[in-house]
């Protein structure tokens, strides 16, 4: 009589998934994948480098801790990494707005709380559309916007147009991270069954460092915007998560896995 291990009955058993982001978010994704039977290969491909104006960031974070802002806005999970690196304090009197479930998840994993995230469109435009209703139409509010050096200041400019007092600070520069040669070789050899694409920056690094992905490897993007960015970098996208969060990404892999099982 043969027995089947409980692990072997999980839908992603036998899958090796490349998770291109580390930190609390990457750990959360890896945990969710393992719960479904997959093996997670965490290989951060993008990291943040210090802003060119470190004194301005340090001053802004001191003002944040002192309660000088009504709101602080975060447009990426990397911004959360910056807050953690600086051991930033967000007082209870300051509310947090973020763009996307990825950032909200990173906030929660880091011990912060998101008070506002777009319910429809997970972009700066989406946040602006819901801002007035979420804040009760109060104007002006004191808002600190933290962004990357290459980001277009859509949110900052939109909040200023509404009439708010906004301090916009560049929190970091994005830089590529060299992936271990063994991971690259495994991808090229088809030993990685799934690749998660979590941002345009990640897509760019996959394209640069790995190149063409084997046809049998499922490439999944976390939302249509990331899918569009990936395709602009020449990266094939096979599937797009319906929602920009960990659960949706994992559910997508499970759905695809079940659809090809005999």
């Amino acid at each position: 009589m043969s027995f089947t291990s409980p692990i072997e009955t999980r839908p992603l058993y036998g899958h090796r998934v490349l998770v291109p982001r580390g930190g609390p978010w990457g750990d959360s994704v890896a945990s969710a994948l393992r719960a479904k039977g997959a093996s997670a290969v965490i290989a951060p491909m993008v990291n943040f480098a210090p802003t060119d104006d470190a004194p301005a960031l340090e001053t802004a974070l001191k003002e944040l801790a002192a309660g000088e802002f009504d709101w602080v806005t975060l447009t990426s999970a990397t911004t959360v990494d910056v807050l953690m690196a600086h051991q930033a304090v967000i007082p209870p009197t300051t509310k947090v707005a973020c763009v996307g479930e990825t950032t909200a998840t990173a906030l929660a994993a880091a011990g912060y709380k998101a008070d506002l995230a777009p319910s429809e469109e997970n972009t700066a435009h989406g946040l602006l559309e819901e801002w007035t209703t979420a804040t009760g139409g109060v104007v002006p509010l004191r808002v600190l916007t933290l962004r990357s050096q290459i980001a277009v200041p859509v949110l900052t400019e939109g909040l200023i147009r509404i009439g708010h007092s906004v301090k916009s600070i560049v929190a970091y520069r994005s830089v590529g991270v060299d992936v271990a040669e063994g991971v690259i070789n495994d991808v090229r050899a088809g030993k990685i069954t799934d690749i998660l694409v979590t941002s345009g920056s990640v897509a760019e690094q996959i394209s640069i460092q790995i190149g063409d992905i084997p046809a049998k490897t499922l490439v999944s993007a976390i939302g249509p915007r990331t899918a569009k960015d990936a395709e602009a970098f020449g990266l094939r996208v096979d599937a797009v998560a319906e929602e920009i969060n960990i659960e949706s990404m994992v559910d997508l892999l499970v759905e695809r896995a079940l659809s090809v099982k005999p």
Side-chain angles (χ1 to χ4, degrees):
M1 180 181 295
S2 61
F3 294 93
T4 301
S5 166
I7 294 178
E8 294 179 15
T9 64
R10 297 179 188 178
L12 294 180
Y13 174 73
H15 285 241
R16 294 186 71 215
V17 185
L18 180 63
V19 180
R21 180 177 174 80
W25 193 87
D27 291 340
S28 296
V29 173
S31 178
L33 288 168
R34 292 178 188 125
K36 298 295 183 180
S39 172
V41 179
I42 299 179
M45 305 192 81
V46 176
N47 202 347
F48 69 89
T51 172
D52 291 332
D53 193 356
L57 174 61
E58 291 170 2
T59 297
L61 293 181
K62 287 179 181 177
E63 293 171 347
L64 175 64
E68 295 186 20
F69 299 103
D70 299 304
W71 284 82
V72 58
T73 69
L74 312 173
T75 55
S76 72
T78 303
T79 315
V80 181
D81 293 337
V82 173
L83 292 178
M84 291 179 63
H86 285 81
Q87 297 183 327
V89 174
I90 302 177
T93 54
T94 301
K95 293 186 177 181
V96 180
C98 66
V99 173
E101 289 292 336
T102 302
T103 308
T105 301
L107 276 166
Y112 299 105
K113 185 185 76 168
D115 298 286
L116 172 62
S119 58
E120 297 294 334
E121 182 184 346
N122 286 293
T123 65
H125 288 291
L127 183 57
L128 280 172
E129 288 181 0
E130 299 184 25
W131 182 272
T132 300
T133 300
T135 59
V138 177
V139 177
L141 292 169
R142 300 164 300 167
V143 185
L144 171 63
T145 60
L146 299 173
R147 60 185 180 85
S148 74
Q149 190 170 33
I150 63 173
V152 178
V154 172
L155 186 57
T156 296
E157 293 173 357
L159 291 172
I160 291 173
R161 281 197 302 272
I162 294 172
H164 297 300
S165 175
V166 182
K167 184 167 189 174
S168 179
I169 296 293
V170 173
Y172 66 94
R173 295 178 293 115
S174 292
V175 294
V177 176
D178 290 337
V179 178
E181 186 176 352
V183 173
I184 293 176
N185 291 338
D186 279 355
V187 173
R188 292 174 177 171
K191 295 180 180 179
I192 297 293
T193 58
D194 308 84
I195 296 177
L196 305 183
V197 184
T198 55
S199 69
S201 298
V202 165
E204 181 180 20
Q205 289 304 312
I206 291 175
S207 179
I208 291 172
Q209 296 192 50
I210 299 176
D212 292 335
I213 307 298
K216 66 179 182 180
T217 302
L218 181 71
V219 181
S220 302
I222 188 165
R225 177 67 202 189
T226 297
K228 184 177 180 181
D229 290 342
E231 290 166 353
F233 287 117
L235 183 63
R236 183 190 86 244
V237 175
D238 303 307
V240 181
E242 292 183 2
E243 299 179 21
I244 305 179
N245 56 43
I246 293 172
E247 292 78 10
S248 187
M249 288 289 283
V250 174
D251 288 345
L252 179 63
L253 298 192
V254 170
E255 179 185 334
R256 286 302 185 101
L258 293 176
S259 69
V260 299
K261 281 188 177 181

